[in-house]
Amino acid sequence: MGIFGRKRSGRRPPPSELVAEAKANPGGWVYEIDGSMVDDPNGAVPPEAIIAAWQVDAHGRLSGGYQANPNYRPGATGR
């Protein structure tokens, strides 16, 4: 089972800004967020605004782990 409940296929290349974010945050995950669905970039992110996640190794590199969010719904917040 994945971080979003179940794994989904459809792996795609990460956005370039996530590669830089991974370097700053080794040993976890980085998330692609639909910015049009978030009011405050430093605030809470609704689960349906997370597009996908990439796993980061201990050296800050994307390790190959990828999960699309099955709950991502573009425009779900009505903004």
Side-chain angles (χ1 to χ4, degrees), residues 10-69:
R11 182 184 168 95
R12 60 191 183 83
S16 59
E17 62 271 12
L18 288 187
V19 174
E21 190 67 24
K23 289 179 185 177
N25 295 285
W29 291 81
V30 290
Y31 301 88
E32 181 180 11
I33 307 299
D34 184 337
S36 71
M37 297 172 63
V38 178
D39 291 325
D40 178 0
N42 297 312
V45 174
E48 63 273 10
I50 301 170
I51 299 169
W54 284 263
Q55 193 168 21
V56 182
D57 69 16
H59 303 288
R61 295 182 300 249
L62 297 176
S63 65
Y66 168 84
Q67 291 192 24
N69 181 4

